Amino acid sequence: MKVLHLLATGSVGGIEVLCRDIYRKSTNMENIFCFVFSGGEIAEDMRDNGADVRVLNYKNKDILKLINYLYNLCKDEHVDVAVVHHGAPINHIALAVLKSRLKSLKTVIYSHGNIQDTLRENIKRGLYFRKFAYSMCFKRCDAVVAISESVKNSLIQRYGEQFGEKINIVYNGIDLDKFKPNCDIGMQNRQGSVNIIYVGRLFKAKGVDILVKSLAEISSEKNFICNIIGDGPEKENIKSLIKEYKLEDKVVLRGVQKNVPEWLNKSDIFVHPATWEEGFGITIAEAMAFGLICIAFNKGALPEIIDSGNNGFLIESVSEKSLSEKILYCIEHINDEELIEIRKRACESSQRFSIDKTVLDLEHIFNRLCSR
């Protein structure tokens, strides 16, 4: 079975990393990865490891050129399934046109976020065109892959119950060879500083400013350190908040780190303070694999990962005070049997989110489409 994956760029990002994992873990798919606008670090890494990578360097104005290129590629290479990953309108229009021109081709939208985020509805410029392109593609495609129940529900609410049957839920997966579950953690008492960690991009909806402000409410006498792993447009604001609240010895911006598993492995508490309706939370699954106590606001798909009080904690109220109270509770009770058991169950729960299972689920969906 030959599968074409259509992406906007090949730079470092969650979608691109997932596609790299799909290439590495596929057993029944022959994959072609087409990066419409530009390549990047992930695209180069995939190519260096033998993947069939096509970097087109097209612009939005090259829509007809893209359609013709993809039509010939699918026809000449006998592509069975074409999957669009990124939300760029040019990709959705191209997929919809391909479906009308190649009747045997099965087309799939891989929905990596709730529809509001996919369409970037907070940005008014070009919104009508984005809505039109996605709607046309959604209604014509053979199937949709949604990364959570939350994403599926957002699509049904937008486009109607009649499309529910074409939406398949496939959770994002982590590489359990890399994020090795250690379910025996926590039996020994923690001595010294409690290590708190955040991993992710630094933009407003991720709520890292709320995390910093919540830590400022915890007494300086409490022995903890918080490492913030990642980069983004909020970096300077976060740096200013750390200085304003005199947290330089408590909160450290570490930037982008390639050895994230090592950072997680030496941490105790993972805080994911996102304030938006997040489509999934792959970093939470990674942290759970190392038996970290995960704390997040009850938003989007996060209740599908964290069973509050069982394998982590969800907070109903989005505020610095409520987050601060939960972090303080975990610091003060880090060696209690209750939290040790939560850490063990977190580790066990993480094994639901294996990249091997993700790829097997995708292969099953694509095979089912091709057998129709």
Side-chain angles (χ1 to χ4, degrees):
M1 176 175 55
K2 189 166 285 190
V3 181
L4 169 66
H5 300 267
L6 193 59
L7 298 98
T9 72
S11 57
V12 177
I15 296 173
E16 295 83 356
V17 169
L18 176 65
C19 285
R20 181 177 63 187
D21 286 340
I22 289 171
Y23 165 69
R24 291 193 303 112
K25 295 291 184 176
S26 292
T27 55
N28 297 313
M29 290 190 290
E30 187 178 344
N31 297 288
I32 302 171
F33 297 93
C34 205
F35 298 94
V36 174
F37 297 136
S38 62
E41 184 178 335
I42 298 296
E44 289 303 312
D45 182 53
M46 292 171 69
R47 177 179 281 155
D48 291 344
N49 284 280
D52 186 343
V53 170
R54 321 283 180 99
V55 178
L56 303 184
N57 293 314
Y58 286 167
K59 309 287 185 187
N60 279 318
K61 65 180 181 180
D62 297 320
I63 178 65
L64 294 179
K65 190 186 294 186
L66 174 63
I67 290 169
N68 287 331
Y69 176 86
L70 295 176
Y71 173 80
N72 290 321
L73 186 155
C74 290
K75 191 175 179 182
D76 296 343
E77 298 279 352
H78 305 290
V79 171
D80 299 295
V81 181
V83 186
V84 62
H85 289 274
H86 282 135
I90 187 174
N91 289 352
H92 289 118
I93 290 174
L95 197 72
V97 174
L98 280 178
K99 180 62 185 174
S100 64
R101 293 180 66 180
L102 293 168
K103 301 301 182 184
S104 63
L105 179 70
K106 304 301 180 182
T107 57
V108 177
I109 291 179
Y110 207 130
S111 192
H112 293 276
N114 290 322
I115 187 62
Q116 299 87 344
D117 301 314
T118 298
L119 296 175
R120 292 174 294 141
E121 291 189 342
N122 59 317
I123 302 174
K124 299 305 178 184
R125 183 177 180 182
L127 178 57
Y128 176 83
F129 184 55
R130 293 195 297 276
K131 284 184 174 180
F132 167 78
Y134 190 94
S135 177
M136 178 175 66
C137 188
F138 179 83
K139 291 172 182 177
R140 292 186 184 184
C141 72
D142 294 287
V144 177
V145 173
I147 63 172
S148 65
E149 288 278 0
S150 176
V151 171
K152 178 179 179 177
N153 290 338
S154 77
L155 292 169
I156 289 174
Q157 288 171 10
R158 177 64 58 89
Y159 298 109
E161 290 281 352
Q162 67 270 30
F163 294 106
E165 287 188 0
K166 72 161 64 177
I167 305 173
N168 307 267
I169 296 172
V170 179
Y171 287 119
N172 286 345
I174 60 176
D175 188 344
L176 294 178
D177 294 330
K178 186 177 178 183
F179 295 89
K180 294 181 179 179
N182 178 16
C183 299
D184 293 326
I185 48 78
M187 295 308 294
Q188 75 285 355
N189 286 346
R190 292 290 303 176
Q191 301 298 324
S193 178
V194 173
N195 293 322
I196 303 167
I197 190 169
Y198 165 84
V199 179
R201 291 204 67 220
L202 306 182
F203 61 91
K204 191 66 178 175
K206 286 291 188 179
V208 185
D209 58 327
I210 296 176
L211 171 59
V212 173
K213 292 173 184 176
S214 73
L215 294 174
E217 296 187 19
I218 297 174
S219 168
S220 60
E221 295 178 4
K222 298 297 178 183
N223 194 3
F224 73 88
I225 187 83
C226 178
N227 292 300
I228 296 176
I229 311 294
D231 202 350
E234 276 286 288
K235 179 180 178 180
E236 291 305 316
N237 180 42
I238 300 304
K239 191 183 293 185
S240 297
L241 286 173
I242 292 170
K243 185 175 181 180
E244 177 184 344
Y245 289 105
K246 297 180 173 57
L247 291 170
E248 291 92 341
D249 61 336
K250 293 286 190 180
V251 182
V252 186
L253 284 169
R254 301 290 185 180
V256 175
Q257 298 287 330
K258 291 187 176 181
N259 58 337
V260 170
E262 293 179 25
W263 283 95
L264 292 174
N265 198 33
K266 61 186 180 183
S267 300
D268 305 293
I269 301 169
F270 183 89
V271 184
H272 188 82
T275 60
W276 61 334
E277 299 297 320
E278 196 153 17
F280 195 68
I282 194 66
T283 53
I284 295 177
E286 292 170 349
M288 290 170 76
F290 285 104
L292 273 65
I293 301 165
C294 293
I295 303 172
F297 294 122
N298 191 357
K299 306 289 286 185
L302 301 192
E304 298 174 50
I305 307 171
I306 297 176
D307 178 10
S308 192
N310 180 54
N311 61 7
F313 294 105
L314 291 174
I315 302 170
E316 296 299 327
S317 171
V318 178
S319 69
E320 293 98 4
K321 185 175 186 297
S322 57
L323 183 58
S324 177
E325 288 173 351
K326 187 59 69 177
I327 294 172
L328 178 59
Y329 175 84
C330 292
I331 291 173
E332 292 181 335
H333 298 272
I334 195 70
N335 292 319
D336 287 6
E337 187 66 24
E338 176 204 359
L339 295 193
I340 290 172
E341 289 302 315
I342 284 176
R343 296 182 73 168
K344 288 181 178 179
R345 288 192 291 268
C347 179
E348 292 163 0
S349 299
S350 71
Q351 296 175 64
R352 296 170 51 211
F353 307 109
S354 161
I355 187 61
D356 297 274
K357 185 179 186 306
T358 299
V359 174
L360 283 174
D361 287 347
L362 291 175
E363 289 180 345
H364 176 73
I365 292 166
F366 298 160
N367 275 319
R368 192 176 69 232
L369 289 177
C370 293
S371 65
R372 288 179 182 174

